[in-house]
Amino acid sequence: MAIAKGEQTVFWDFKRNPGWLGFLVRAGALVLLLFPLVTDRLWTAWLCVPVWFVIWLTASAKRMFFQKNLTDLPKLGTAPEDARELLQFPRVTVISPGRNEEAGVEAAARSLAALDYPNLEVICINDHSTDRTGEILDRVAADCPNVKVVHDPPLQEGWQGKSNAVWYAVHNADPSSKWLLLTDADVVFEPAALRQGVAVAEELGADFLTCVPYLDTGSFAEELVLPIQWNGLLAGASIERINRPKAPPVGIGAFILVKRDAYLQCGGHAAFYAQQPEDALLALAVRQWGGKLAAGWTDSLFSVRLYRGYKQMMSYWVRKNRVSGDDRLGYFASMMLFWLLVMVTPLPMALAAAIKQFAMGDFSLALTVYAAGAFVSFFEMARGMEATRAVVRMRCGIGWLHPLAGALRVWIDVLSLAGAFTKRRMDWRGRDFVNVRNANVENNR
């Protein structure tokens, strides 16, 4: 079913995200935590114990949900070889759009050509790149006859580039395909990845399967910031909640396996053609249509390096942050305080409470309990970060540096708030980007 031009039927409501009320609550908590450290009223440290308990509980719950989902969700890479051979291999069309991806597109495209799947169509799209992406894809296609390259699909007015490219490819692909694998132009697959993905989707009776890939990193900044996102992805992909109408939609652009009929009948990218994040919105569209969603993860069958260094990571992350927050100033202000409370301040405040007792030359039970609560909160967050090592390349001990990661997240929210306040233009790989939901946000600032 094609959606008429100009009609968008799927919107993701971000209004439930914390705003100015959340900011006031978190500001009050931060002031309360500072009070026993900067005044002589040590008894106020007892009032901080519930705050430290809530912070510890937040970190603990996130870690437990993450680890539970590692156990409950299907893991691509563990399917028995004999079970894979029983599959009837329904036809699959792989669609990989890319714009200005010269750094990683060759390895990704060649990995698609090497997929060990006998009933396959591979379409790589050069989405009006201004670098060498098109040239590289043509070279890969010359070496790999099973790869088809589409250059510069016609742009439809008002459409986001990736949504436009995927929509065009679907309508120019083999209509006999049962499944579409939508992936990004920087994802590197192992040969067995598609076999196991289709096997899992068929076994679950799913219309839509997304999978958290293994995250490759190459800089200290990436190792600090990105595990927080990957931890959140898996912690939120509960097998019990993913199909509930009010649960946040889960879609990861690196791997979306969707039935072609489900894609077309729910409207596909035409249902939200001007919005991002298009991966989560596609999951929402399939769910609203009545399809069954499923999620999984892998530590071996495919991987992606999202950003290359601090500068690129910060540029892209601020844009994503502004999209997810709908440029609401209260949201960014509230999230700044969240990262301060949960990640940045626990260890410094634990040390400050201990140092204050040494400076006084006297023991304070209230400050000791305060310091213990702060340190336990720090320790729990470090445990959660270290657990993320299952799906993220991290150097040893990086999780214990999470106060630095929190500081970077605070800085991202500062830059996001400044950009939203000044209405600075957003950019996606050389294209202007406008968040269409912002028309209804101005009054909520």
Side-chain angles (χ1 to χ4, degrees), residues 148-223:
K148 175 183 176 182
V149 178
V150 175
H151 291 284
D152 305 332
L155 295 173
Q156 302 182 75
E157 183 179 356
W159 283 59
Q160 291 297 325
K162 183 177 179 181
S163 294
N164 178 81
V166 173
W167 184 252
Y168 179 84
V170 169
H171 286 79
N172 287 273
D174 185 348
S176 69
S177 289
K178 178 180 180 180
W179 291 96
L180 306 172
L181 174 62
L182 311 182
T183 186
D184 293 328
D186 50 4
V187 182
V188 178
F189 289 84
E190 293 298 319
L194 185 57
R195 281 177 178 255
Q196 293 206 18
V198 173
V200 169
E202 293 275 352
E203 181 181 355
L204 295 175
D207 298 290
F208 177 104
L209 171 69
T210 194
C211 188
V212 178
Y214 186 77
L215 181 62
D216 201 3
T217 56
S219 71
F220 183 59
E222 293 170 65
E223 289 182 69

Side-chain angles (χ1 to χ4, degrees), residues 246-265:
K246 293 185 179 181
V250 178
I252 297 99
F255 188 99
I256 291 178
L257 189 63
V258 58
K259 286 182 178 175
R260 184 177 185 274
D261 288 347
Y263 177 87
L264 294 174
Q265 290 176 31

Side-chain angles (χ1 to χ4, degrees), residues 98-354:
R99 175 176 168 83
N100 296 342
E101 294 275 10
E102 66 179 9
V105 70
E106 182 161 5
R110 290 188 183 278
S111 75
L112 292 178
L115 285 171
D116 181 18
Y117 194 91
N119 197 2
L120 181 65
E121 176 185 34
V122 177
I123 303 175
C124 294
I125 308 164
N126 169 32
D127 184 16
H128 301 264
S129 297
T130 57
D131 65 1
R132 296 174 52 249
T133 296
E135 173 190 336
I136 293 169
L137 286 175
D138 284 340
R139 184 169 68 242
V140 172
D143 295 339
C144 308
N146 59 336
V147 174
K148 175 183 176 182
V149 178
V150 175
H151 291 284
D152 305 332
L155 295 173
Q156 302 182 75
E157 183 179 356
W159 283 59
Q160 291 297 325
K162 183 177 179 181
S163 294
N164 178 81
V166 173
W167 184 252
Y168 179 84
V170 169
H171 286 79
N172 287 273
D174 185 348
S176 69
S177 289
K178 178 180 180 180
W179 291 96
L180 306 172
L181 174 62
L182 311 182
T183 186
D184 293 328
D186 50 4
V187 182
V188 178
F189 289 84
E190 293 298 319
L194 185 57
R195 281 177 178 255
Q196 293 206 18
V198 173
V200 169
E202 293 275 352
E203 181 181 355
L204 295 175
D207 298 290
F208 177 104
L209 171 69
T210 194
C211 188
V212 178
Y214 186 77
L215 181 62
D216 201 3
T217 56
S219 71
F220 183 59
E222 293 170 65
E223 289 182 69
L224 284 176
V225 172
L226 297 181
I228 305 171
Q229 178 193 19
W230 247 233
N231 190 295
L233 281 175
L234 262 171
S238 168
I239 197 168
E240 295 90 2
R241 298 182 65 242
I242 193 170
N243 283 291
R244 294 180 184 175
K246 293 185 179 181
V250 178
I252 297 99
F255 188 99
I256 291 178
L257 189 63
V258 58
K259 286 182 178 175
R260 184 177 185 274
D261 288 347
Y263 177 87
L264 294 174
Q265 290 176 31
C266 78
H269 285 76
F272 45 85
Y273 60 82
Q275 302 175 69
Q276 287 191 355
E278 71 288 328
D279 43 14
L281 285 164
L282 182 57
L284 182 59
V286 172
R287 188 172 70 192
Q288 290 181 348
W289 167 73
K292 180 181 178 181
L293 307 185
W297 65 283
T298 186
D299 61 357
S300 60
L301 282 187
F302 51 95
S303 63
V304 60
R305 184 174 179 188
L306 292 178
Y307 314 112
R308 297 181 182 272
Y310 173 82
K311 184 176 180 181
Q312 188 185 69
M313 181 188 73
M314 293 297 287
S315 174
Y316 288 2
W317 197 270
V318 169
R319 176 185 60 82
K320 285 187 174 182
N321 202 39
R322 289 180 62 184
V323 170
S324 64
D326 274 338
D327 269 358
R328 293 187 297 133
L329 304 186
Y331 169 77
F332 301 131
S334 178
M335 290 307 298
M336 278 189 278
L337 293 183
F338 174 81
W339 300 119
L340 280 171
L341 286 167
V342 174
M343 299 187 73
V344 178
T345 61
L347 182 60
M349 287 185 170
L351 295 175

